[in-house]
Amino acid sequence: MHKHRRKPSNKSDETISNSTCSSAVIQLFRNFALELEEKQDRYERLVKIGRDITVESKRLIFFLHSHRRGTEDGENVLREGKTRLINIVKFQFSKILKELEDRDIHQYLRAFSFGVQEFIEAFSFYHFLVTETLLTFEEVKDFLECNSQIQTQTNVPSDGDSKDFDKIEPPLSSSPPKTLNTNWIVPHNHCIITMLDYVLGLNDLTGELMRYSINQVANGEIPAAFDICRFMTNLYSGMLSVSLNSREYSRKMFTVIQSVKKVEMACYTVRVRGSEMPKKLIFSVLEDENVCEDDTHF
Amino acid sequence: METIIKTFSNFQESIDSEQNTKETIKSTTKEIEEFARKMITVLQIIHQEGARDEIPTTCNRCKAILNDVKKSYAELGQLVESGLYYKFYDHWKLVTQKLCFVIALIHYLETGSLKTRAEIASTLGLKTEEKDGFHLSIEDYLFGLLMLVSELARFAVNAVTNGDYTRPIQISQFVAEINAGFRLLSLKNDGLRKRYDALKYDVKKIEEVVYDLSIRGLKSNEDAPIQESAARIVP
């Protein structure tokens, strides 16, 4: 048995050493090795960029929660929020784009799509704070295009940028020249942010809105909380209207309904007991309140 | 509220149109699968007695089918917009691997050599480069080769049973080269890696057959110089 084992291994060693320089097959595989390695490296780099986007987006969301409506501070928060959003696009998304030049994005999508979703969550949260409306997919695309425009035209240091930011202020109204599309849209017109990632990001948005609205109640901004509640209810019914066979989507929808219910309960509590209770107390009631987590309707 | 409704109805629309594309792709890949199955069945003849004389006609029969396969791939290429290859990749991945195997097997039976990725791609009417559109991915080709080795391991055993003692030696040399090639690759921990892990068992099986032949003196004399040269190189 021992002899038997040794012999084959000797033989294949011989094959390797014998053919290192000559064999066409080995040459073929050498090229494969390079190609595979290149793919793997690219994938890893994209995972890393995706992670960076996630981290920065999470921090940004946390930061945005300090926003108070109608205060000087609140304005500052929004202004800085915008700068940070733009920086993510400028420094992170541009890297993704560079990696994907001439490539099929769908092959690498999984590497960074969680980052994209987190970015959409931050962006849509910011957008809601500014406009109290839903960030649309078109606005996302425009935002990407606009900021690539800044990047390619001028490399202004961050101070000088603020003017440009104002110029592009409402992403809705400014429609950038179409010639720039190639900058932001990876080969063959497929945006690096897919519609699916966009919607999944919106799913996550509801969690942030929930937290934000509860904070609003705590700060005594009762009307704001009611606005948010209405918005979330609408958003939820929109999400329900989608029939999509995706485990991720249904998993997220489960979280969405929890958040929606929590906010609805909060508004209910405020309505019922608000007249008889000091505001600080209401907050503690809300904190205690655990929304009944029975059946979920979707 | 209006934006919300519009956003989600747009999303639904894009899901629906994607679903339609998927359905069409599915029906085309089903055709290709049918062809692949037919060829694999036909090729089973190599494991039977007296296969040697049948091989050329079998290969020609398969080649006729391959022409149809090429047409179906052309259809598939039409369906899949450029840049969306990997979006729908899962639909044709498996069948493409199978076809790589079939084509490589036919080529091996006819010439005794390895068919390259570029050659297989051109047989199927596919591109080799990702950026050119509908292409033959490197992974699919490698999967096909691994399947080929498994089939050859079986072929080696059956060849002996059917009294052909030279075939296993040829196979052993052919497979050793592929095996050496695979060792150059650093594979990620994915499906290809798992499939590759099975390669050593196939190689071992073939080597056992060769071993059995040599200790019983069933190896023909023409192979003797090869053994000597091997002995010379190994210290």
Side-chain angles (χ1 to χ4, degrees), chain A residues 1 3-5 7-19 23-26 28-33 35-37 39-40 43-44 102-108 133-138 187-188 190 195-196 198-199 202-203 231 234-235 237-239 241-244 249, chain B residues 1 3-12 14-16 81-87 114-117 128-131 135 137-139 141-142 145 169 172-173 176-188 190 192 204 207-208 210-211 214 219 226-227 229-230 233-234:
Chain A
M1 194 59 202
K3 195 180 167 193
H4 171 208
R5 278 228 175 123
K7 199 179 148 200
S9 79
N10 279 349
K11 187 165 191 288
S12 41
D13 283 345
E14 170 256 324
T15 321
I16 289 180
S17 61
N18 204 9
S19 41
S23 163
V25 174
I26 295 298
L28 197 68
F29 273 89
R30 281 243 164 79
N31 293 334
F32 290 160
E35 201 178 326
L36 283 175
E37 221 163 88
K39 257 190 197 181
Q40 286 160 12
Y43 192 88
E44 291 309 319
D102 272 342
R103 259 154 242 280
D104 186 338
I105 56 161
H106 295 96
Q107 189 176 10
Y108 299 97
T133 58
L134 182 69
L135 173 75
T136 65
F137 190 51
E138 280 64 38
H188 325 295
H190 300 298
M195 207 154 186
L196 181 62
Y198 159 74
V199 172
L202 293 185
N203 287 161
F231 179 74
N234 288 339
L235 192 58
S237 43
M239 287 172 184
S241 73
V242 174
S243 88
L244 171 62
Y249 190 76
Chain B
M1 187 64 198
T3 13
I4 294 178
I5 295 174
K6 195 154 173 278
T7 294
F8 288 99
S9 68
N10 282 348
F11 181 49
Q12 187 65 49
S14 86
I15 295 171
D16 291 344
E81 234 178 280
S82 55
L84 288 179
Y85 179 85
Y86 280 100
K87 185 168 187 149
L114 181 66
K115 194 147 173 140
T116 64
R117 176 184 172 203
T128 28
E129 293 298 319
E130 181 187 324
K131 60 175 188 300
H135 63 283
S137 84
I138 179 170
E139 287 89 351
Y141 174 70
L142 293 174
L145 292 192
I169 316 292
S172 163
Q173 284 159 6
E177 223 170 356
I178 293 181
N179 187 29
F182 267 99
R183 287 209 218 163
L184 295 172
L185 309 178
S186 64
L187 298 174
K188 247 190 344 185
D190 58 4
L192 185 59
K204 191 171 167 235
E207 282 169 347
E208 275 168 3
V210 174
Y211 172 73
S214 48
K219 272 172 82 174
I226 293 166
Q227 281 311 104
S229 79
I233 286 166
V234 176

Side-chain angles (χ1 to χ4, degrees), chain B residues 149-197:
Chain B
V149 174
S150 296
E151 187 72 9
L152 290 181
R154 215 184 127 212
F155 187 29
V157 171
N158 290 328
V160 174
T161 312
N162 297 327
D164 182 352
Y165 299 149
T166 48
R167 181 68 84 179
I169 316 292
Q170 284 170 15
I171 289 176
S172 163
Q173 284 159 6
F174 179 72
V175 166
E177 223 170 356
I178 293 181
N179 187 29
F182 267 99
R183 287 209 218 163
L184 295 172
L185 309 178
S186 64
L187 298 174
K188 247 190 344 185
N189 206 5
D190 58 4
L192 185 59
R193 171 63 191 267
K194 256 180 226 146
R195 185 63 185 79
Y196 163 69
D197 287 341

Side-chain angles (χ1 to χ4, degrees), chain A residues 224-242:
Chain A
F226 276 80
D227 288 347
I228 297 169
C229 181
R230 248 191 310 277
F231 179 74
M232 283 176 75
T233 311
N234 288 339
L235 192 58
Y236 178 65
S237 43
M239 287 172 184
L240 270 185
S241 73
V242 174

Side-chain angles (χ1 to χ4, degrees), chain B:
Chain B
M1 187 64 198
E2 227 167 74
T3 13
I4 294 178
I5 295 174
K6 195 154 173 278
T7 294
F8 288 99
S9 68
N10 282 348
F11 181 49
Q12 187 65 49
E13 254 169 51
S14 86
I15 295 171
D16 291 344
S17 84
E18 200 183 302
Q19 197 56 40
N20 283 340
T21 318
K22 272 187 192 162
E23 293 300 329
T24 338
I25 290 175
K26 256 185 212 159
S27 73
T28 312
T29 45
K30 215 173 163 189
E31 270 173 39
I32 300 178
E33 265 158 25
E34 208 49 61
F35 290 132
R37 198 173 311 128
K38 214 188 272 175
M39 285 188 285
I40 291 173
T41 319
V42 168
L43 284 166
Q44 288 306 305
I45 199 153
I46 61 171
H47 300 294
Q48 287 163 18
E49 214 175 340
R52 212 168 226 191
D53 309 328
E54 300 284 338
I55 285 174
T57 43
T58 310
C59 289
N60 286 334
R61 268 179 77 189
C62 289
K63 278 182 176 164
I65 299 175
L66 278 174
N67 281 333
D68 294 330
V69 172
K70 196 172 181 176
K71 274 179 215 148
S72 296
Y73 267 103
E75 266 173 49
L76 212 53
Q78 296 277 312
L79 288 172
V80 180
E81 234 178 280
S82 55
L84 288 179
Y85 179 85
Y86 280 100
K87 185 168 187 149
F88 302 111
Y89 179 53
D90 285 345
H91 286 99
W92 55 76
K93 185 170 75 178
L94 286 175
V95 72
T96 307
Q97 292 167 3
K98 252 188 225 169
L99 285 167
C100 285
F101 153 58
V102 169
I103 295 168
L105 178 61
I106 295 170
H107 188 77
Y108 169 76
L109 291 172
E110 284 182 336
T111 68
S113 63
L114 181 66
K115 194 147 173 140
T116 64
R117 176 184 172 203
E119 284 165 353
I120 292 187
S122 89
T123 308
L124 294 174
L126 304 176
K127 309 269 194 299
T128 28
E129 293 298 319
E130 181 187 324
K131 60 175 188 300
D132 295 336
F134 207 99
H135 63 283
L136 174 62
S137 84
I138 179 170
E139 287 89 351
D140 289 347
Y141 174 70
L142 293 174
F143 262 112
L145 292 192
L146 292 169
M147 285 155 108
L148 172 69
V149 174
S150 296
E151 187 72 9
L152 290 181
R154 215 184 127 212
F155 187 29
V157 171
N158 290 328
V160 174
T161 312
N162 297 327
D164 182 352
Y165 299 149
T166 48
R167 181 68 84 179
I169 316 292
Q170 284 170 15
I171 289 176
S172 163
Q173 284 159 6
F174 179 72
V175 166
E177 223 170 356
I178 293 181
N179 187 29
F182 267 99
R183 287 209 218 163
L184 295 172
L185 309 178
S186 64
L187 298 174
K188 247 190 344 185
N189 206 5
D190 58 4
L192 185 59
R193 171 63 191 267
K194 256 180 226 146
R195 185 63 185 79
Y196 163 69
D197 287 341
L199 174 64
K200 56 176 176 285
Y201 300 110
D202 293 328
V203 172
K204 191 171 167 235
K205 196 187 230 170
I206 296 167
E207 282 169 347
E208 275 168 3
V209 172
V210 174
Y211 172 73
D212 283 341
L213 290 180
S214 48
I215 56 160
R216 287 173 181 79
L218 293 172
K219 272 172 82 174
S220 55
N221 283 333
E222 51 184 319
D223 297 309
I226 293 166
Q227 281 311 104
E228 270 168 31
S229 79
R232 226 184 18 248
I233 286 166
V234 176

Side-chain angles (χ1 to χ4, degrees), chain A residues 88-278:
Chain A
I88 295 177
V89 172
K90 257 179 154 178
F91 299 116
Q92 307 293 348
F93 277 95
S94 60
K95 273 196 226 159
I96 294 186
L97 210 71
K98 221 172 131 200
E99 292 288 352
L100 292 180
E101 223 171 339
D102 272 342
R103 259 154 242 280
D104 186 338
I105 56 161
H106 295 96
Q107 189 176 10
Y108 299 97
L109 211 54
R110 248 180 306 160
F112 61 90
S113 77
F114 53 85
V116 168
Q117 289 171 25
E118 205 71 35
F119 171 76
I120 293 292
E121 184 181 344
F123 189 12
S124 58
F125 186 39
Y126 163 83
H127 191 268
F128 178 79
L129 294 181
V130 176
T131 66
E132 297 196 12
T133 58
L134 182 69
L135 173 75
T136 65
F137 190 51
E138 280 64 38
E139 282 164 343
V140 176
K141 284 206 268 192
D142 287 350
F143 187 76
L144 293 182
E145 276 163 27
C146 283
N147 292 301
S148 81
Q149 190 178 4
I150 290 172
Q151 193 195 18
T152 45
Q153 276 181 352
T154 47
N155 267 331
V156 205
S158 52
D159 280 350
D161 269 359
S162 55
K163 261 185 199 161
D164 288 319
F165 297 168
D166 293 341
K167 207 166 65 191
I168 57 154
E169 169 55 69
L172 327 102
S173 59
S174 74
S175 65
K178 285 296 166 211
T179 43
L180 279 163
N181 280 11
T182 43
N183 267 337
W184 273 108
I185 300 200
V186 184
H188 325 295
N189 257 0
H190 300 298
C191 184
I192 46 176
I193 297 190
T194 63
M195 207 154 186
L196 181 62
D197 282 335
Y198 159 74
V199 172
L200 290 172
L202 293 185
N203 287 161
D204 297 333
L205 167 68
T206 52
E208 302 312 323
L209 289 178
M210 182 267 289
R211 244 193 292 166
Y212 183 71
S213 78
I214 302 288
N215 282 337
Q216 292 301 302
V217 177
N219 294 331
E221 296 275 356
I222 307 296
F226 276 80
D227 288 347
I228 297 169
C229 181
R230 248 191 310 277
F231 179 74
M232 283 176 75
T233 311
N234 288 339
L235 192 58
Y236 178 65
S237 43
M239 287 172 184
L240 270 185
S241 73
V242 174
S243 88
L244 171 62
N245 215 346
S246 150
R247 193 183 300 165
E248 207 177 356
Y249 190 76
S250 17
R251 194 175 51 80
K252 288 203 171 183
M253 280 301 276
F254 183 76
T255 327
V256 171
I257 186 61
Q258 303 300 332
S259 305
V260 171
K261 275 191 195 169
K262 227 173 247 181
V263 173
E264 284 170 351
M265 267 322 275
C267 288
Y268 162 85
T269 312
V270 169
R271 182 73 79 199
V272 174
R273 308 205 226 164
S275 49
E276 61 192 41
M277 233 188 246

